[in-house]
Amino acid sequence: MARRSVPLNTIDAFLVTARHLNLTRAAKELCLTQGAVSRKIASLEEWLGFSVFERHARGLHLTPQGSALLPDLQAAFENLIEVADRACHKPDVIRLKAPTCAMRWLVPKIIELEQSSPEIQIALTTTVEHGVNFKNEPYDAAIVFGPHARAGTLLFEETLTPVISQSLLNKAASAQDALQRFTFLHPTRDRTDWSLWFADYPAGRLAMSKNQHFDTMDLAISAAIQGFGIAIADETLVAEDLRMGRLVRPFAHSVKTGASYRLTVRTGSENAAGLEAFCTSLLGIS
């Protein structure tokens, strides 16, 4: 008999009835009449060429053929449901906007989150902008940065400190000598961040004779790792680089800038459940 003629619509009726061994309870679970369930089972038996149930006054019993058939049909039917469930399941996709300066901190968090919660996917958009307007932008969440950022939940405050590769520092007589000898790496097109640190540095300000400017802090940090010079960077953003030995802090002194990184979310997002899990995970591992 051709494969297409297999009465697939009768298999569920057989499996449910085999579990209950009672037409009334099977019909109730299937939301059918007892007569409809009986007809489905009769149709299956006709196709198989043998009976799967023996009818008794007190209920039903599986025939030897029915008992032999049941385990394989149960496994096949459960596999079919699992395949269909995987096909229709759509992961929660969180549309996240974040400034490029936060990537060194954010990317490891996203990797950890997606490994621990594979049902959550992050669609990350990076930008040099430091804010978000949920009325005009299609994001579920955003990391914002700035001296006046107050909305959302605080992730961390910006705290600046000089960083340098160990190999480059080894070429200087001291940390103070490194400031005098090597190129100052600036995370912006001006000298604001270095100026803030020097203004709070007990030993006073030095002349910054050799300078290299970058568009983002991440680029300045990468240049410092490669031994290009000494950078001014946020303690949180370089924490992993310091832990791994890619960079060292030549000075214990640091200065808070008054700026902060915050997590903001769109109210009424269609991905509410996934967004809640994302926020909980991100804040929990921050």
Side-chain angles (χ1 to χ4, degrees), residues 121-136:
Q121 295 182 12
I122 309 300
L124 175 63
T125 298
T126 59
T127 174
V128 294
E129 299 174 359
H130 290 164
V132 66
N133 185 340
F134 288 123
K135 292 182 179 179
N136 302 321

Side-chain angles (χ1 to χ4, degrees), residues 105-118:
W105 174 85
L106 179 61
V107 170
K109 309 301 182 190
I110 292 177
I111 293 172
E112 184 175 341
L113 172 61
E114 291 192 343
Q115 288 176 343
S116 62
S117 303

Side-chain angles (χ1 to χ4, degrees), residues 143-180:
I143 292 177
V144 298
F145 168 74
H148 305 297
R150 292 294 180 267
T153 304
L154 177 67
L155 295 172
F156 57 92
E157 295 179 298
E158 185 179 50
T159 305
L160 299 178
T161 190
V163 290
I164 190 172
S165 69
Q166 184 66 64
S167 60
L168 187 60
L169 183 59
N170 290 341
K171 297 177 182 179
S174 65
Q176 191 70 19
D177 182 49
L179 289 177
Q180 297 171 330

Side-chain angles (χ1 to χ4, degrees), residues 160-163 185-187 193-194 197 217 220-221 230-234:
L160 299 178
T161 190
V163 290
L185 306 179
H186 301 273
D193 289 350
W194 268 113
W197 186 81
M217 183 171 288
I221 293 169
I230 182 167
I232 189 78
D234 179 79

Side-chain angles (χ1 to χ4, degrees), residues 74-115:
Q74 282 179 326
F77 195 72
E78 289 171 2
N79 184 62
L80 177 64
I81 292 174
E82 183 179 344
V83 170
D85 184 63
R86 286 200 305 267
C88 70
H89 177 70
K90 296 181 180 179
D92 292 311
V93 178
I94 306 301
R95 299 164 297 176
L96 175 65
K97 178 182 180 182
T100 55
C101 55
M103 289 303 100
R104 303 188 81 83
W105 174 85
L106 179 61
V107 170
K109 309 301 182 190
I110 292 177
I111 293 172
E112 184 175 341
L113 172 61
E114 291 192 343
Q115 288 176 343

Side-chain angles (χ1 to χ4, degrees), residues 54-86:
E54 296 175 348
R55 279 75 173 174
H56 296 276
R58 294 187 178 182
L60 302 175
H61 296 287
L62 284 164
T63 65
Q65 297 97 323
S67 295
L69 179 65
L70 180 61
D72 287 339
L73 273 185
Q74 282 179 326
F77 195 72
E78 289 171 2
N79 184 62
L80 177 64
I81 292 174
E82 183 179 344
V83 170
D85 184 63
R86 286 200 305 267

